[in-house]
Structures are given as C-alpha cells and as structure tokens.
Amino acid sequence: MEAIQAGKPVLLVFIWDTEVEAHPDTSERHWQFQWESIVEMNETLGDLGGKLHVIRGKADEIFHELLNEHRIDSVYSYCETGVITTFKRDLRLKKLFAERGVNWREYQNNGVVRGLNNRIAWDKKWKVHMNAAVDDPDWENASFVQLSKTCFAPSFARKNNLQKGGEKQAHRYLKSFFKDRYSAYSRHISKPVQSRKSCSRLSPYLAWGNLSIRQVYRAAAEKYNEEGVQKRPLANFISRIHWHCHFIQKFEMEVRMERENLNRGYDSIRNRTDEALVDAWKTGKTGYPMVDAAMRCVIETGYINFRLRAMLVSFLTHNLWQPWQSGVHHLAKQFTDYEPGIHYPQFQMQAGTTGINTIRIYNPTKLAQDHDPEAKFILQWLPELKVLPVHLAIEPWKITPMEEMMYGFSYGTDYPRRIVDITTTSKFARDELWKIKTANSVRSESQRILKKHTTATRDVDQRTREITPKGKR
Ligand SMILES: Cc1cc2nc3c(=O)[nH]c(=O)nc-3n(C[C@H](O)[C@H](O)[C@H](O)COP(=O)(O)OP(=O)(O)OC[C@H]3O[C@@H](n4cnc5c(N)ncnc54)[C@H](O)[C@@H]3O)c2cc1C
C-alpha cells in the first residue's frame, strides 16, 4: 500500500529463500501452503495487471542482482520475527541496502514491536494496533513492473489432509468460525476430535500471512459486541489472539531461545539424547496410545490442538527426559501452522525451561480418559487397537493373556510395549525440576526473564498464574 502511495512503479517479489529451505525446522508442507497462497494472489493480481514474482535463492544474492538490474529507491517489507538464520540474513540485507542507498521500510505486521527491552506499556500498544483500521491499498492506481525472467514454479503432490493455503480459504475459516463454530470453542478446546471443528483453525493463515492478527481480532470484537451472542467463548478466543503476539514478542526479544534454554539455569540437565527413545516418539511408537495417536495425527494432517501439542512435549522432555532440542524441529516440520515465535517459546514453556511458568507434566492416559473417553481419536489413528474394548485401547498394557487370545491381539507385536513407565518417570522429572527451580542460577535467570518479558517484577508465582493458561487447556 505504501509503495503504491509513493507513486513509483512497484515490483512485487516473493523470495523463495534457500537458506530457509535448508533450515531444519522447514518442511515441504510449509512451502506447499505458501505456494498455494502465491498462486491465488497471482490470480487476483492478474486482473489488476500485477504479478508476484517468485525468485528462488539466497536473499542477498537476489537483491544484489535486482539492484544491479533496476533503479530501486525503496524496499517495502514487514518486520519478520524469524529464526537466527533469518535474523542474520536481515542484518546482511540492512547493510546491503545502506551501502546501495536503498531505503528499507519495514512495517509492523502484528502486535509485535521491534527494538523493545521490556514489556512496559506493551499491552497498551497491542490494543492500539489491534483497534486501528485495516488498510485498503489503492490497487487501481498501482503501476506494476514485470520481470522478463521466468519465475520459480514448484510442483507438489498435494496431501489432502492438510489445510489449503490462500486468502479465500482463510476467509472461509474466519466466516464459518464466527457463524457457528465458535459457540463450542471453550467446551471443545481440549478435545482431540471436537477441537478440530470448534477451534478456529486460523493458525496457518495467521502464520503465513493470509490474514493479519488485526483482521481476526477485529472480527472477534465485532462478533462479541453483537447482541445475543455467547460472550465466554469469544472472550477466550480473544485472549488467545493476545497470546499469539505475547509469545512472538518474547522470541523477537530473545531469539537465542531457538537453540538455548531461555533460563540458563537449566543448562545442566537433560544433556544427553537417546536416539532410540526420540525415534519412538517421532514415529508414534511409544506404547502410550494418546501420545502415539497425537503424533501420527499431526504427521498426517499437520494439526493437533494445544493440549496434544503440550502433551507431546511433556512426554518427550519429562517422561523420556530428553532435551527439548531433540524434538523441536520434528514438530515444527509437522505443523502446517509453524510459527517460530510461538513454537520455540511454547516448546520451552512445556519443557519447563523458562523457570517462570508452573511445571505441568501431562498424563496421557488421564488425558485420554477425560477428553477421548470413547477412544475415538485413538482408534482413528491407531487402527491396530480397534479389536480391543475402549478401556484396553486406552491402556493396552492392562490386557491379560486370556484377553489377548480372546481379541486376537498380541501385545508387544500388534502394538508396542510402553517404552517408559509414566508413574516413575513423572515423579523423577517432577523431583528434578522442583529441585533445580530453587537453585540460585535458575532464580536469578527467572528474575531476569520476568523483568524482560513480563510486566511483573516481584512475585514469580503471581505472574505465573497470569501467563500460564490454567484449567482451560
Ligand atoms: C509445543 C507447542 C507448539 C506450538 N506451536 C505453534 C506454532 O508453531 N504455530 C502456532 O500458530 N501455534 C502454535 N502453538 C499454539 C497453539 O497450539 C496453536 O496456535 C493452536 O492450536 C492453533 O489452532 P487454532 O488456530 O484452531 O487455535 P484457536 O484456539 O482458534 O486460537 C486462535 C489463534 O490464537 C493463537 N493461539 C492459540 N493458542 C495459542 C497459544 N497457546 N499460544 C500462542 N498463540 C495461540 C493462534 O494464532 C491461533 O491460531 C503451539 C503450542 C504448543 C504447546
């Protein structure tokens, strides 16, 4: 919009960044989603005489070439909160643009503010940003430049289970959520099956930019203000919209948490990786049906709800006692909605390496009994358990030799035995984590983190209650 308003010819470019492609958290489903979005954008732009040019390569090399071939006055982009690699790329681009006299104008694209050292007044800024009008570019008066060279055009073998990219799809989800799906939002948010319909499912569209968080916030606020609507689910939803930016802001301010413990006091624990245990987790073969079903479901569909994501991390880090780094890329690759600014801070929060959040060790069996009591989710993803009655599908280790014969099921062959015992491993993890939480190294880091990432200064537990979603999830 700003480029069009500047009144100069505009060249629209999407960089298919090979550095990002090579990053271990990237997967084909992320690119497919972006490609579908680009194709749709180009259909719309075609009617306006424009085109989004897709160029594959290293960003600095692409810009070198573009700057040599064209007289470029300004580059317009959003502020991106990415990983360390893209942060370094942006520093290189900043240098390049400065050397070549190009004005790089970066715009805030959600509630995340660049260059902050603390959270004082952040909430206020967030509200101002969310309540500002949604801009409407003057497309009719745009003068587009077309590159003569051929653009990059990948092809994908589409997996139909994955959400499809594109702005039209995004608006479909938005519309149907506020039409009726929202009403069961709070009731179903933790249910593995029902949450797939009653949660908004807007996450990939927010992560890849088909919708802005402001568009979603404003649609929710508008709905909330209608007469006769159910306020509670809408209020719960709006709080998640706030969390979205809260987490990304953390990552923006401390990107080292992509690789290191946010709280350095935890550096002394979980330093060894047992590949066999991590592999069983990655492939959904831990012997705990809820863990395995969640993993196999996310591999197939790119989506599971918050509680299942948290449970998977809890199982890996607490029950298997593996470093969170051993699984963080695997899940990032599976999520169609992968958003580094939410993913890394959430992963660390669930792994208990922040020092400021309540440590939560999920019991996958209880989770199944509470939220999937008929084992519908488990049986959908673990069809090998279908021969068993529900209670055994949830706890197959309780099967007796007689029942094995009766159901024609061989425990340990048809479905793996438990790789750990969650009662003893949960106790071990709880003891270790509570012990270290009181160590000076963790405490001093916790104070530093609170000061930097929250508005609290004194009471760790009080703030913890505020920033840890309790009860609902
Ligand atoms: C280990 C772990 C990793 C996660 N990784 C991602 C990720 O890569 N990308 C991602 O978008 N979300 C991530 N989440 C947060 C959350 O699980 C998803 O945002 C949510 O399940 C997406 O479904 P939805 O759009 O239907 O959510 P809804 O419940 O409908 O919420 C609407 C939006 O609010 C935001 N939101 C919801 N819950 C959270 C939360 N707990 N923290 C921050 N923002 C939230 C998301 O943008 C979401 O799209 C992660 C959570 C955990 C525990």
Side-chain angles (χ1 to χ4, degrees):
M1 189 188 80
E2 295 264 342
I4 293 169
Q5 267 172 13
K8 298 207 168 134
V10 179
L11 173 65
L12 299 172
V13 174
F14 179 95
I15 294 180
W16 198 281
D17 193 324
T18 44
E19 273 189 293
V20 176
E21 256 183 323
H23 203 265
D25 59 2
T26 304
S27 67
E28 186 170 297
R29 62 185 56 176
H30 302 159
W31 291 107
Q32 178 180 300
F33 191 93
Q34 291 176 87
W35 177 243
E36 287 168 351
S37 305
I38 291 166
V39 169
E40 195 197 273
M41 280 174 89
N42 270 334
E43 279 164 19
T44 314
L45 281 166
D47 296 338
L48 301 160
K51 179 180 174 179
L52 178 59
H53 299 80
V54 182
I55 311 177
R56 183 163 180 255
K58 246 183 110 181
D60 5 1
E61 287 166 12
I62 290 171
F63 272 111
H64 261 294
E65 214 177 304
L66 287 172
L67 290 172
N68 288 342
E69 287 169 4
H70 303 268
R71 255 192 37 235
I72 295 176
D73 177 75
S74 301
V75 170
Y76 297 79
S77 77
Y78 281 117
C79 287
E80 184 187 359
T81 304
V83 289
I84 293 168
T85 303
T86 56
F87 176 64
K88 287 186 178 160
R89 173 201 67 193
D90 290 353
L91 291 180
R92 291 197 309 272
L93 287 176
K94 199 170 173 186
K95 189 162 167 272
L96 170 70
F97 294 143
E99 281 165 6
R100 303 290 290 261
V102 174
N103 186 10
W104 184 12
R105 305 191 53 184
E106 288 180 278
Y107 295 83
Q108 188 177 327
N109 79 349
N110 47 38
V112 177
V113 183
R114 184 148 285 181
L116 292 188
N117 294 320
N118 61 53
R119 286 297 188 96
I120 298 167
W122 184 82
D123 277 336
K124 228 185 201 164
K125 288 190 183 118
W126 186 84
K127 281 195 193 106
V128 171
H129 187 81
M130 292 306 133
N131 285 304
V134 174
D135 291 324
D136 191 11
D138 181 10
W139 294 110
E140 298 297 331
N141 285 316
S143 148
F144 292 112
V145 178
Q146 302 269 358
L147 290 182
S148 50
K149 71 181 197 180
T150 318
C151 288
F152 178 61
S155 64
F156 295 99
R158 178 156 233 293
K159 256 187 155 183
N160 282 331
N161 283 339
L162 302 173
Q163 278 178 270
K164 193 167 184 276
E167 196 180 345
K168 284 188 192 134
Q169 280 292 102
H171 282 285
R172 261 179 224 137
Y173 276 91
L174 189 72
K175 209 170 148 200
S176 69
F177 181 64
F178 290 122
K179 182 168 174 269
D180 48 22
R181 290 194 291 122
Y182 85 92
S183 62
Y185 180 70
S186 305
R187 235 177 322 126
H188 290 167
I189 197 162
S190 295
K191 312 276 175 220
V193 176
Q194 295 95 319
S195 58
R196 304 182 79 81
K197 186 170 169 219
S198 303
C199 282
S200 72
R201 308 295 306 271
L202 289 171
S203 49
Y205 304 103
L206 288 167
W208 301 110
N210 304 99
L211 285 176
S212 72
I213 196 88
R214 182 193 278 160
Q215 282 175 301
V216 176
Y217 171 83
R218 286 175 67 99
E222 205 174 289
K223 184 77 188 176
Y224 186 90
N225 289 326
E226 276 178 22
E227 263 183 39
V229 295
Q230 296 181 46
K231 306 275 185 207
R232 189 169 152 254
L234 290 167
N236 283 343
F237 176 77
I238 291 171
S239 71
R240 265 69 182 187
I241 296 302
H242 184 266
W243 290 355
H244 167 103
C245 304
H246 165 77
F247 280 96
I248 303 178
Q249 183 71 51
K250 270 195 192 185
F251 200 57
E252 167 74 26
M253 288 163 67
E254 204 160 348
V255 69
R256 68 167 192 88
M257 81 168 92
E258 179 197 348
R259 295 177 191 163
E260 301 163 16
N261 290 324
L262 175 63
N263 188 314
R264 296 177 180 93
Y266 290 94
D267 287 356
S268 58
I269 61 163
R270 296 193 286 225
N271 283 320
R272 265 201 312 269
T273 304
D274 181 327
E275 294 298 343
L277 290 180
V278 175
D279 267 2
W281 177 82
K282 282 183 181 171
T283 49
K285 290 182 183 156
T286 66
Y288 282 92
M290 202 52 172
V291 173
D292 295 342
M295 187 58 88
R296 295 194 208 173
C297 172
V298 75
I299 291 171
E300 271 308 303
T301 69
Y303 180 84
I304 44 174
N305 69 9
F306 173 89
R307 187 175 276 266
L308 294 181
R309 296 181 198 212
M311 177 202 69
L312 284 179
V313 179
S314 163
F315 192 83
L316 173 77
T317 57
H318 303 320
N319 295 113
L320 302 184
W321 202 243
Q322 296 301 300
W324 58 265
Q325 291 91 334
S326 64
V328 76
H329 293 147
H330 176 74
L331 276 192
K333 284 176 160 175
Q334 310 312 321
F335 293 154
T336 313
D337 62 21
Y338 170 52
E339 166 60 72
I342 301 178
H343 190 66
Y344 289 97
Q346 272 289 356
F347 221 97
Q348 292 222 31
M349 187 165 130
Q350 305 307 332
T353 50
T354 66
I356 63 162
N357 303 106
T358 306
I359 294 160
R360 193 150 186 198
I361 301 176
Y362 286 80
N363 179 331
T365 305
K366 186 163 183 316
L367 200 158
Q369 286 157 347
D370 291 348
H371 297 291
D372 189 31
E374 290 166 34
K376 281 191 179 149
F377 180 75
I378 287 177
L379 295 178
Q380 182 181 358
W381 298 104
L382 308 176
E384 62 269 40
L385 299 179
K386 273 188 178 157
V387 292
L388 301 178
V390 167
H391 72 282
L392 289 176
I394 293 176
E395 297 178 280
W397 51 89
K398 288 197 170 161
I399 198 163
T400 61
M402 177 78 104
E403 284 169 325
E404 282 191 82
M405 269 168 48
M406 230 163 74
Y407 299 122
F409 178 86
S410 168
Y411 179 53
T413 309
D414 292 333
Y415 182 70
R417 289 176 186 280
R418 292 178 288 179
I419 53 170
V420 288
D421 169 42
I422 54 165
T423 310
T424 48
T425 51
S426 295
K427 183 176 178 331
F428 171 80
R430 200 171 295 116
D431 291 350
E432 289 294 306
L433 290 168
W434 276 110
K435 204 163 58 193
I436 197 166
K437 201 168 179 178
T438 53
N440 284 341
S441 52
V442 168
R443 276 179 176 242
S444 62
E445 271 286 278
S446 296
Q447 288 306 324
R448 176 192 72 76
I449 293 162
L450 280 172
K451 224 165 147 192
K452 184 165 183 168
H453 295 292
T454 75
T455 46
T457 46
R458 289 181 299 117
D459 186 343
V460 173
D461 287 332
Q462 185 192 329
R463 184 61 198 170
T464 297
R465 270 200 291 279
E466 271 177 58
I467 57 182
T468 306
K470 284 182 94 179
K472 303 280 187 295
R473 295 281 189 179

